[in-house]
Amino acid sequence: MLISNSNLYKTEWLDLVFDKRNKDYGAFAIRKHYADNVVKAMAITFVTAIVVAFTVGKLIAAKPVMDKWTEVKTDLTFIAPPPPKKVEPQNLKLRNQHRRLRR
């Protein structure tokens, strides 16, 4: 395939393609203003990206302002936990009988 330098959106090509066709239909106007629309879309995209990047940079760099410091007093003394409760089995006699039977 040969590489061509012809621009298919030039007025001559559009006139040739839309010769004897309805130019008021919409496709002719879309193709005629295609380059302008691409430039506008790219400009809007770049401006939006720059604004978002600038805003995010400002938000990241912003530090919270602390006018008043409040002093919090804490008592870090160690409190020993209570001793564990000794739980005795209710069926101590049955367990002892069971142990004797196993031997």
Side-chain angles (χ1 to χ4, degrees):
M1 177 178 250
L2 296 173
I3 298 175
S4 174
N5 289 337
S6 62
N7 185 357
L8 296 179
Y9 293 103
K10 285 186 177 178
T11 308
E12 302 97 33
W13 287 105
L14 288 176
D15 289 337
L16 181 66
V17 169
F18 285 95
D19 190 33
K20 299 180 184 175
R21 294 190 183 178
N22 186 5
K23 293 183 180 180
D24 297 330
Y25 176 67
F28 179 76
I30 290 173
R31 290 186 183 185
K32 185 176 181 181
H33 300 291
Y34 175 76
D36 297 332
N37 291 338
V38 169
V39 170
K40 288 177 189 175
M42 288 178 63
I44 291 170
T45 302
F46 289 137
V47 168
T48 304
I50 290 170
V51 168
V52 167
F54 181 74
T55 305
V56 169
K58 283 289 192 179
L59 289 175
I60 290 173
K63 295 180 182 177
V65 178
M66 299 183 111
D67 293 336
K68 297 180 181 179
W69 289 86
T70 57
E71 186 175 329
V72 178
K73 295 181 180 180
T74 57
D75 185 18
L76 299 177
T77 57
F78 178 73
I79 300 173
K85 294 180 181 178
K86 187 174 182 182
V87 180
E88 294 194 24
Q90 295 176 356
N91 299 328
L92 188 57
K93 290 181 182 180
L94 292 176
R95 284 189 182 184
N96 288 338
Q97 289 175 359
H98 179 67
R99 288 182 186 165
R100 281 189 232 148
L101 294 175
R102 283 181 67 191
R103 292 183 189 176

